[in-house]
Amino acid sequence: EVVMTQSPATLSVSPGERATLSCRASHSVSINFAWYQQTPGQAPRLLIYDASTRATGIPARFRGSGSGTDFTLIISSLQSEDVAVYYCQQYNNWPWTFGQGTKVEIK
Amino acid sequence: EVQLVQSGAEVKKPGESLQISCSGSEYIFANYWIGWVRQMPGKGLEWMGSIYPSDSDTRYSPSFQGQVTMSADKSISTAYLQWSALKASDTAIYYCAVGEELQFLEWSRYWGQGTLLTVSS
């Protein structure tokens, strides 16, 4: 099973500042990789798939990059509505696996 | 747009059986893989497995193989997740999600609202 490790566990960022989230896979997953956002009481929301493709309706301030084992999600200018837990997911090797999540807070 | 509506919250006792459901609408149900994802209280997401309603082809994550049963009835556009003997550790929110048409489910833009299962004596 591919283990996904996210860092940091919690990220505090001032409004309008950049937030950088990382995810590392224990084995290469090529670009078969996604990011999700989950706010309290809600289902996950797809942000990015294929490592860097923004899902329909996702603001341009969300940018995904990386391949192989190291991936990054950048929120270029943090908004209050971006407060959430962010999960990475690989779909290169079955079973698909998620990271443990990064909680993004407003400083 | 694709809609997924899950059955309501359940409170059960250890050892009891249960089936929860996920009903799809506004798309061709049979043509889309449906996956199930578990979220234990205060924890992250876990992929349980996926089913293709067209032929009931099912893939389980090894961690969930033998612990749950996935099924689907394409005639009523509904997928099911079933337990034969619940345990307290099954307490979680369970989400269903669909993939892209005619493709194995890898990531999902469409999710159900979740079903909260509480197992307690």
Side-chain angles (χ1 to χ4, degrees):
Chain A
E1 181 172 302
V2 179
V3 177
M4 309 298 286
T5 303
Q6 292 186 239
S7 62
T10 304
L11 186 60
S12 295
V13 179
S14 300
E17 294 299 303
R18 170 180 289 203
T20 302
L21 291 70
S22 297
C23 183
R24 175 165 289 177
S26 61
H27 302 87
S28 175
V29 298
S30 186
I31 59 166
N32 298 310
F33 182 93
W35 288 98
Y36 295 86
Q37 175 194 65
Q38 188 179 34
T39 53
Q42 299 298 311
R45 174 194 184 198
L46 178 70
L47 298 176
I48 302 286
Y49 63 94
D50 292 347
S52 61
T53 302
R54 263 193 311 278
T56 303
I58 301 304
R61 66 180 180 274
F62 292 92
R63 180 163 58 88
S65 63
S67 66
T69 61
D70 291 294
F71 300 87
T72 302
L73 175 69
I74 292 176
I75 309 172
S76 59
S77 176
L78 193 75
Q79 309 296 305
S80 58
E81 61 264 33
D82 300 333
V83 170
V85 178
Y86 291 81
Y87 294 97
C88 60
Q89 180 223 335
Q90 68 81 23
Y91 47 91
N92 192 69
N93 296 90
W94 185 259
W96 305 159
T97 48
F98 293 92
Q100 80 281 16
T102 290
K103 184 176 183 179
V104 174
E105 303 176 332
I106 294 285
K107 185 185 289 185
Chain B
E1 181 171 284
V2 171
Q3 304 262 348
L4 297 173
V5 178
Q6 297 186 232
S7 51
E10 301 274 1
V11 179
K12 307 292 281 187
K13 297 186 185 313
E16 291 186 330
S17 63
L18 175 68
Q19 181 175 268
I20 63 174
S21 65
C22 171
S23 296
S25 61
E26 309 303 324
Y27 72 101
I28 303 173
F29 183 81
N31 289 357
Y32 290 70
W33 283 82
I34 291 180
W36 290 94
V37 174
R38 182 175 79 174
Q39 188 166 39
M40 299 177 76
K43 301 299 183 182
L45 305 170
E46 300 172 90
W47 204 285
M48 303 175 69
S50 306
I51 185 167
Y52 190 53
S54 179
D55 61 6
S56 292
D57 185 9
T58 307
R59 314 284 176 87
Y60 292 97
S61 169
S63 297
F64 294 93
Q65 179 85 47
Q67 307 304 307
V68 295
T69 301
M70 297 176 190
S71 61
D73 185 341
K74 60 186 178 183
S75 70
I76 56 172
S77 300
T78 301
Y80 302 97
L81 183 63
Q82 181 180 348
W83 293 261
S84 58
L86 287 161
K87 297 173 278 193
S89 58
D90 292 319
T91 295
I93 298 172
Y94 294 88
Y95 293 101
C96 62
V98 296
E100 302 298 292
E101 187 171 19
L102 302 176
Q103 297 179 33
F104 186 61
L105 176 53
E106 296 178 326
W107 43 266
S108 180
R109 67 180 91 228
Y110 302 114
W111 293 69
Q113 83 277 19
T115 294
L116 174 62
L117 169 61
T118 303
V119 183
S120 175
S121 54

